[in-house]
Amino acid sequence: MSVYTQLTDAQFATFCQRFGVAFARAIPITQGIKNSNWFIQTTEDNDGEHSYVFTLFEERPPSDIEKMAVILNQLVGKLPVAAPMALADSNSSNEKSYVIHYDNKAITLVPCLSGAHPKQTTETMCADMGAALAVLHDTLQALQPSEDYGVALYPWNEVRDREIQFMPSDEAKLMRDIWQSYSDLPLDTLPKGLCHLDMFADNTLWHLDNNSETLSGLLDFTEVSVEHYVMDIAITINDFCTTWGDAEQGESVDFDRRKMAVFLQGYESKRTLSNDEKQALPIMLAKAAVIFWLLRLNVIHYNRTEGRTGDNIMVKNPDLMKRLAAYHWSHVEKA
């Protein structure tokens, strides 16, 4: 992810030592938009290799990251996740600690998972991702009450109210219409639980060898919150089932409804959707796109107000999510 906080090699060495890791080098990770991340090369790694991911959480308080560590340990053995390492200098008489506190921020170190981020998704990958998301939803039901483990949902309505006043009238209307349609859903009838809420393809790793596609890693559990399962499904479908064109392709947004169908088949192979969830999904797809439209506008807002600049800062185009929201809304209107 982007790097906002700069650390010296001496600081990296000190922090890694607390996890029992011999530091050699930190390599910035520039994908993503929320936290500061580095690959950590140890003294035992060969050149070009790295064994760990070092994350400094820019916004989430350390208490939230402690919850995330519990969630990841719950998923170990069920899904390919990397749980935060325990501090080597933890008091043996107390429960394990997984977080270093630095400047009121949290630091974790997790083992690297093998595999690569997919440049494009396939129908097979969509089906496997659907099944994995259902396993995640089912497994995390063991953590009760779920509100004690999930972080609070971000107040996107506040971001909406701030940003909508600067939008052209057609964009503002689109956002209001989708938001109202979501509010009119029978939300109380939709199952809820701990959800990932950011399962984009770049938060997954795959072994892509010999024309085979095997899920090898699920990443970034910082946004796990109590939410409707169908919202988590919509968020994941929106990225896995969309082909995002680059600048040379005019930044096209092409949603594949066949991929969505196989994703849902994969999901229902592990957890059956209720009729209310199926009926809510088209509106949830539009609302999910609106949330990530607002998220990207929010990142631009904070980068501007906090003076965040530099080559390690990546900003994703909010217009792409706006166009995806408009696509889904057109299907809702037709229905």
Side-chain angles (χ1 to χ4, degrees):
M1 296 206 168
S2 300
V3 174
Y4 301 110
T5 299
Q6 302 298 324
L7 299 176
T8 66
D9 282 350
Q11 287 175 307
F12 278 117
T14 299
F15 292 140
C16 288
Q17 185 178 22
R18 294 193 60 192
F19 290 107
V21 170
F23 170 79
R25 185 184 175 205
I27 302 99
I29 304 174
T30 58
Q31 293 89 352
I33 56 179
K34 295 177 185 176
N35 303 310
S36 296
N37 288 264
W38 297 262
F39 288 122
I40 297 297
Q41 187 179 90
T42 73
T43 55
E44 298 180 357
D45 289 328
N46 296 321
D47 288 342
E49 295 180 347
H50 41 262
S51 296
Y52 301 95
V53 173
F54 182 109
T55 300
L56 191 151
F57 295 90
E58 298 288 354
E59 298 178 5
R60 294 294 190 194
S63 59
D64 284 356
I65 308 309
E66 292 281 5
K67 296 175 183 178
M68 182 191 72
V70 174
I71 287 169
L72 283 163
N73 278 285
Q74 183 69 26
L75 294 172
V76 169
K78 298 280 189 177
L79 291 170
V81 299
M85 295 179 62
L87 292 171
D89 55 7
S90 296
N91 189 326
S92 59
S93 63
N94 297 326
E95 293 184 2
K96 290 182 178 180
S97 178
Y98 303 93
V99 174
I100 291 175
H101 294 222
Y102 169 72
D103 195 22
N104 296 319
K105 298 178 181 180
I107 289 173
T108 63
L109 193 70
V110 303
C112 284
L113 296 169
S114 62
H117 301 300
K119 294 181 179 179
Q120 298 290 344
T121 62
T122 65
E123 290 185 10
T124 298
M125 294 167 72
C126 290
D128 290 349
M129 190 63 248
L133 192 65
V135 171
L136 184 150
H137 291 163
D138 185 60
T139 302
L140 294 185
Q141 290 181 24
L143 299 179
Q144 295 294 332
S146 54
E147 288 78 10
D148 288 353
Y149 297 92
V151 301
L153 291 170
Y154 198 83
W156 292 114
N157 58 311
E158 296 177 9
V159 182
R160 174 201 63 195
D161 293 344
R162 185 192 70 219
E163 295 292 338
I164 208 167
Q165 59 187 316
F166 304 111
M167 292 180 180
S169 60
D170 59 333
E171 294 183 11
K173 183 179 185 304
L174 173 66
M175 184 168 289
R176 289 193 185 99
D177 287 348
I178 292 172
W179 208 286
Q180 185 60 53
S181 186
Y182 164 81
S183 300
D184 291 340
L185 288 171
L187 297 174
D188 291 343
T189 70
L190 302 177
K192 298 179 73 172
L194 291 168
C195 295
H196 186 280
L197 300 180
D198 194 21
M199 196 67 81
F200 277 33
D202 61 7
N203 274 333
T204 65
L205 297 172
W206 300 77
H207 288 148
L208 306 172
D209 299 319
N210 300 321
N211 297 319
S212 65
E213 302 150 347
T214 304
L215 179 64
S216 60
L218 302 176
L219 310 175
D220 196 354
F221 283 74
T222 58
E223 302 296 330
V224 173
S225 304
V226 177
E227 180 56 288
H228 298 106
Y229 293 135
V230 68
M231 173 58 81
D232 208 16
I233 293 168
I235 288 170
T236 310
I237 284 175
N238 271 350
D239 190 61
F240 266 81
C241 303
T242 303
T243 299
W244 309 98
D246 56 26
E248 294 180 354
Q249 299 166 317
E251 293 192 304
S252 58
V253 178
D254 297 316
F255 188 79
D256 190 325
R257 304 194 76 82
R258 173 60 188 167
K259 284 184 178 180
M260 179 173 68
V262 297
F263 181 101
L264 292 171
Q265 289 171 5
Y267 187 93
E268 291 208 88
S269 71
K270 303 295 183 180
R271 175 185 171 266
T272 301
L273 292 168
S274 70
N275 287 333
D276 285 343
E277 287 178 299
K278 292 177 182 178
Q279 292 176 9
L281 181 58
I283 293 173
M284 286 291 189
L285 289 165
K287 174 70 181 306
V290 164
I291 293 300
F292 280 82
W293 176 11
L294 289 171
L295 184 153
R296 295 178 180 187
L297 290 172
N298 205 37
V299 170
I300 293 171
H301 169 78
Y302 280 108
N303 284 348
R304 181 175 62 249
T305 58
E306 298 181 15
R308 292 174 171 178
T309 59
D311 293 338
N312 287 334
I313 305 299
M314 185 178 76
V315 177
K316 294 184 178 181
N317 186 357
D319 187 65
L320 303 183
M321 282 296 173
K322 177 194 72 180
R323 282 189 268 156
L324 184 60
Y327 168 83
H328 286 312
W329 185 241
S330 70
H331 282 262
V332 170
E333 290 185 314
K334 289 176 184 177

